Amino acid sequence: EWEGWSGCSAECGGGVRERMRPVHREMQYGGQPCDDTEETESCNSQSCNKECELADWTDWGSCTQACWTGTNRRDRAVEHPARGTGSCPEPAGDHRLQFRNCNDKPCSEFYQQGTLHHVTSCSQCSYDKFCDSKVWAANGPDAEAGYASGNSLSDWGCGQWKGQKIVRNSKSGAIYVVEEGVFLKCASKIDMVVLMDGSGSLGAEGWEKSKTLVTNLISHLKEGDDTVRVALQLFSGPTTWDNYYKCTGASPTAGAPDLEKDCGIRWIKHFSNNTMSVPMLKTALQWPSATTLTSVALAEAQAELMYGREDAASIVVVITDGKPMSQDRTVQAAHALMAKARIIWVPIGPGAPVELVEELASFPKHENVIRVDDFAKLAWPYFANKIIAQTCPVLAPKIERMPAVAMPI
């Protein structure tokens, strides 16, 4: 009897298979020889070109933000790869990656509010133009709340309150401003690395405003084993080409660099549960005022994430104003880091490399690029809140506001 067919010698494009049958008794005494004991036939003659086959869509993921419009994500994996000249949709294309909006609501229910001050000399301003219409919210039965962004208070002669939270009593029409700003507080389980650019291109004002942004951000992260762990790196760059080659490994004979002395990169805080007070943080942040070695800063962030928690989301926030010393090295370092963490870029000032940042940001781009076009705006609570809202899907519940204090201006 014939044995079974062997496997085909080719998956496509034409192959052969064979089968055999054993001889139980050879011919003898002039008998007839046995029939063929081997047989072949062609197989798999179909074309080798085949489109890939995709798996079903995954379920929609959880919302990336608690407020100010986050996204749910779903994707499709490749179940069977393409063959020959067959094609497959790009991983970031609409056929394999989709987003939908979620939590399209104000953040007012999460604000950690400070003292209210009654604004009297701005009462003639049109209230509708004080605030971005997307962030209105009820703030108690007799108040409306908004946030001074976009058409800000400065456009109406109320510049000292620019960027602050404002509320209006809906019965009396009185306007109040929270002088110290109102902030969200991150309570998500995330490992966050903040990379702060300290290059000379910031200028003195840009540096001071950057310090305010970073201290506002870090002081409103709820650190703990089940919430946030944060690391802070202050980066600039080398002051000589010899040190640049040394820091980037382009000079094999230069030896290992001193990260702070040679490369202008210093860790202010590594991952831990120990918090830094605002005065301590401001004291630790000394302006290096040199170049911008973004590629090494990103590589150091990736190394820091090795000490992160397995069950915590990894996020890197890059606050930068200048073009990196090497764009190619920065692109390579960013792509390597994106395989390990979500990167949120905060390009600041008029000279920020916005096009490069948009190329390097994680998807969806609008959630991972926070543009600040003016250094003065860095001190606004709005931008610290925006970073917190876009990195923390879980926010601490609202703390009740202190009693209002009348304060004419």
Side-chain angles (χ1 to χ4, degrees):
E1 295 291 331
W2 287 104
E3 296 177 348
W5 287 103
S6 67
C8 191
S9 62
E11 292 185 1
C12 57
V16 293
R17 63 178 186 170
E18 61 181 6
R19 64 178 181 174
M20 304 178 66
R21 54 181 175 179
V23 175
H24 293 300
R25 184 172 59 211
E26 296 287 349
M27 70 174 187
Q28 53 184 331
Y29 310 121
Q32 295 295 318
C34 294
D35 292 334
D36 292 337
T37 59
E38 296 183 6
E39 188 174 67
T40 62
E41 68 176 15
S42 60
C43 53
N44 289 345
S45 59
Q46 75 275 13
S47 170
C48 286
N49 302 326
K50 184 180 179 182
E51 306 292 295
C52 77
E53 295 180 22
L54 300 178
D56 292 335
W57 287 103
T58 61
D59 293 334
W60 287 105
S62 58
C63 194
T64 56
Q65 296 180 204
C67 52
W68 279 354
T69 312
T71 55
N72 305 112
R73 168 185 172 141
R74 67 174 184 175
D75 54 44
R76 300 177 74 184
V78 175
E79 198 160 69
H80 299 291
R83 288 201 310 238
T85 60
S87 61
C88 201
E90 291 294 322
D94 292 341
H95 293 289
R96 290 184 56 188
L97 180 63
Q98 291 182 351
F99 299 94
R100 69 179 183 186
N101 290 344
C102 52
N103 286 340
D104 184 10
K105 62 182 181 178
C107 288
S108 300
E109 64 182 280
F110 300 105
Y111 282 131
Q112 314 296 305
Q113 299 187 17
T115 303
L116 287 175
H117 297 286
H118 186 193
V119 180
T120 57
S121 67
C122 290
S123 60
Q124 76 277 10
C125 300
S126 169
Y127 185 71
D128 291 340
K129 294 181 179 179
F130 280 168
C131 306
D132 186 328
S133 61
K134 288 190 69 175
V135 295
W136 295 113
N139 196 356
D142 298 323
E144 298 172 356
Y147 202 88
S149 61
N151 289 326
S152 69
L153 289 163
S154 63
D155 298 329
W156 301 92
C158 310
Q160 77 179 88
W161 303 116
K162 181 168 61 175
Q164 303 289 52
K165 174 72 177 292
I166 61 176
V167 295
R168 181 185 67 169
N169 187 295
S170 59
K171 289 184 177 179
S172 68
I175 298 171
Y176 296 86
V177 179
V178 183
E179 182 185 17
E180 297 147 3
V182 275
F183 291 93
L184 304 173
K185 195 171 188 71
C186 179
S188 300
K189 190 166 189 178
I190 59 173
D191 291 330
M192 180 187 290
V193 181
V194 180
L195 305 185
M196 179 185 182
D197 187 344
S199 57
S201 55
L202 282 164
E205 180 191 8
W207 167 248
E208 289 301 321
K209 298 299 185 184
S210 293
K211 283 172 62 176
T212 302
L213 173 64
V214 169
T215 53
N216 283 345
L217 171 62
I218 291 181
S219 62
H220 289 90
L221 303 176
K222 184 179 180 181
E223 295 190 62
D225 287 334
D226 295 320
T227 51
V228 185
R229 282 190 179 174
V230 62
L232 173 61
Q233 178 204 108
L234 174 60
F235 75 95
S236 184
T239 56
T240 67
W241 283 111
D242 285 343
N243 279 344
Y244 170 77
Y245 298 134
K246 188 176 184 180
C247 294
T248 57
S251 175
T253 60
D258 181 304
L259 195 64
E260 182 174 349
K261 181 180 177 182
D262 298 330
C263 310
I265 294 175
R266 181 162 67 98
W267 284 101
I268 305 299
K269 184 181 186 300
H270 287 284
F271 280 141
S272 72
N273 289 340
N274 299 324
T275 59
M276 291 183 73
S277 67
V278 170
M280 287 176 60
L281 189 55
K282 287 185 175 180
T283 300
L285 292 172
Q286 298 297 315
W287 187 22
S289 184
T291 51
T292 313
L293 194 56
T294 312
S295 59
V296 176
L298 293 169
E300 284 295 308
Q302 184 171 345
E304 181 72 10
L305 287 171
M306 293 175 60
Y307 302 100
R309 298 163 292 181
E310 290 186 2
D311 59 343
S314 298
I315 298 176
V316 178
V317 178
V318 187
I319 303 169
T320 184
D321 87 300
K323 295 179 180 179
M325 296 187 73
S326 170
Q327 181 165 319
D328 289 343
R329 289 181 183 275
T330 300
V331 170
Q332 292 173 5
H335 286 161
L337 180 56
M338 284 172 66
K340 305 290 184 181
R342 175 186 170 195
I343 307 178
I344 294 182
W345 293 83
V346 187
I348 60 176
V354 177
E355 290 185 4
L356 175 62
V357 160
E358 290 179 347
E359 175 190 343
L360 297 179
S362 301
F363 284 97
K365 302 286 186 181
H366 73 274
E367 280 191 1
N368 295 295
V369 178
I370 301 173
R371 178 81 171 100
V372 188
D373 59 3
D374 187 337
F375 290 134
K377 295 179 182 178
L378 293 171
W380 293 9
Y382 174 79
F383 288 104
N385 282 337
K386 194 163 178 63
I387 296 172
I388 291 170
Q390 291 182 204
T391 55
C392 301
V394 178
L395 298 174
K398 177 178 180 178
I399 296 175
E400 290 302 318
R401 184 195 311 120
M402 296 169 61
V405 177
M407 183 180 175
I409 62 171

